[in-house]
Amino acid sequence: MFGFGAKAEAVESPSTSVDNERGFKNEGSNYPDLVSNGAGVEYDDLNVVCPPHTTEKKLMAKIDLRVIPFLCILYLLAFLDRVNIANAKAFHLVKDLDLTGVQYNTALTMLFIPYVVCEIPSNILMKRLQPRIWLSGCMFMFGVVEVCQGLVQGYGGLLATRFFLGVFEAGMFPGCFYLIGMWYKRSEAQRRYSFFFSSTTLAGAFGGLLASAIGKMDGLRGCSGWRWIFILEGVLTCVVALFFFFLIPSFPEDASWLTPEERSYVKARLQVDQGRSAAERKITLRDVGKVFKDYKVILGGLMYFGLIVPAYGFAFFAPTVLATYGYSPIETQLHSVPPWACAFGFAMMIAFASDFTRHRFAFTLIPISVAIAGFGILITVHHNRSLEYAGLFLVAMGAYSAMPVIVCWFNMNLGGHHRRAVGTAWQVGFGNIGGIIATYAFLPNDAVHFYKTGYSICLAFLCLSAASCCVYAAAVVWENRKRDRTPVDVGLTDYEKTELGDLSPDYRYLL
């Protein structure tokens, strides 16, 4: 249904692999000697031969333990360093730096200007320099900038540190998503993506707890509590980055912690699922231009763009909204934790359901609807603190559950290193323009009107995201049916199919 059925009938011989999800057909086994002797050989669900010394389950567990935890910690710290300014604001950052009008909002905006511009160059550089070098280096540098943010003495210094924080954090999110996408098949990627992405919700919860503890250091050695938040969290990031230089995984083709047989197996199963990756070829400007000729790439950016506004609106301004409920700074931080924790649980439920059904589209609309319900409560209810607080739960649960599904769905429908590297960076980079809008959605003067303007803006962008998801779903269904009606053998060589990636006539998109 909608691209999930087999493109051709699977044959009994193990030398032919057919993707159950309408992917590529791969002729020839990677281990012909094992096939010929008939010795107890295990095949995965795509009929790719597994090395005899292990099983698919054991090998995927080995990959999970090496790939996912380190990337989760990396992005947790990156997101924490990005949004902890909201926690710092509750500890009188605005007053101490004498910020007036929309200067605080402008400081938030400065992060996104380089963040948007540097996404695609960052993914290209990561492919050339290797993930462990690029990601750990960027991580160390944004930790240094975070420490400097705790030492600023005025508005100008805050703007400068937020700008350079955006420069060094730009590659974290698209780089990690790109790297994860090069390790897993489409049917098994969503729960890994969601677990990784849920490090943002853990960062929000952890940030609130950490800020409430660090805030008690207010006045220690003459420093305000908000300065200690930046300094200590920045130092933690730098220390972890030094270890991660040796721990962050590489691409499957270069993973020294896998045996040659295991590397061949991982590459073979991904090739059947997604096509050849062209990992050996450098990404050129011509490749970048070709990616943007595909209208589905534009839709992918709009899907994510619509969700960024409510997601960052919540991340940056939830403590501000909670403060209007009459809580003290410490109570505000503690009350910000439960919505993030529930968002993590709901995101994982959505991810497991999505992988189990091998479907993405419906699992974008369900959480978006939850977020819409949350903003509907916030925009209409103004004198019931418990119900308003419940609305914040729904907003966090909906926005932060839909985002990983949208990014995974789009990312895993891009075939080949060059299309995936550019496409993923484009989606995240263009989407983060929404972060600029989010920073001006909740202005200080709107507090007397219960932030109705900000809530209305977030609702509008949620509807944009939902509409874009519907159009993208229609596009992939139309493409699959078009290719089903077109002869598969159109005279293309394997090299030409590799260059086309998901535009190859053999490729079928996942709905």
Side-chain angles (χ1 to χ4, degrees), residues 77-84 142 146 165 169 233 237:
L77 292 174
F79 191 80
L80 181 64
D81 289 349
R82 186 186 316 162
V83 303
N84 59 8
F142 71 68
E146 182 74 1
L165 196 65
E169 282 197 12
E233 292 179 6
T237 299

Side-chain angles (χ1 to χ4, degrees), residues 326-371:
Y327 297 127
S328 69
I330 298 295
E331 290 175 330
T332 297
Q333 305 306 324
L334 294 175
H335 276 83
S336 70
V337 174
W340 289 109
C342 288
F344 173 79
F346 188 65
M348 294 312 302
M349 290 173 56
I350 291 290
F352 274 93
S354 179
D355 267 355
F356 179 77
T357 58
R358 299 190 176 192
H359 183 82
R360 302 289 180 253
F361 174 48
F363 295 100
T364 63
L365 297 186
I366 292 171
I368 287 176
S369 299
V370 171

Side-chain angles (χ1 to χ4, degrees), residues 300-466:
L302 288 173
M303 290 191 294
Y304 189 67
F305 173 69
L307 273 176
I308 280 290
V309 176
Y312 274 119
F314 178 85
F316 284 134
F317 295 103
T320 301
V321 173
L322 286 168
T324 64
Y325 298 167
Y327 297 127
S328 69
I330 298 295
E331 290 175 330
T332 297
Q333 305 306 324
L334 294 175
H335 276 83
S336 70
V337 174
W340 289 109
C342 288
F344 173 79
F346 188 65
M348 294 312 302
M349 290 173 56
I350 291 290
F352 274 93
S354 179
D355 267 355
F356 179 77
T357 58
R358 299 190 176 192
H359 183 82
R360 302 289 180 253
F361 174 48
F363 295 100
T364 63
L365 297 186
I366 292 171
I368 287 176
S369 299
V370 171
I372 288 174
F375 279 114
I377 292 173
L378 293 172
I379 204 171
T380 56
V381 178
H382 308 299
H383 302 289
N384 187 329
R385 181 184 299 177
S386 297
L387 187 55
E388 289 178 76
Y389 191 40
L392 291 176
F393 275 78
L394 295 178
V395 168
M397 291 165 61
Y400 285 93
S401 297
M403 289 173 75
V405 181
I406 282 177
V407 176
C408 176
W409 183 23
F410 176 70
N411 189 359
M412 300 305 285
N413 270 342
L414 295 170
H417 261 277
H418 55 290
R419 281 184 60 80
R420 184 165 294 174
V422 176
T424 302
W426 148 256
Q427 184 187 42
V428 177
F430 175 76
N432 274 289
I433 295 175
I436 298 175
I437 298 172
T439 59
Y440 289 103
F442 294 85
L443 298 176
N445 294 337
D446 289 337
V448 295
H449 302 294
F450 306 104
Y451 296 108
K452 284 186 177 181
T453 301
Y455 297 147
S456 300
I457 291 172
C458 291
L459 274 172
F461 278 93
L462 282 169
C463 293
L464 171 64
S465 180

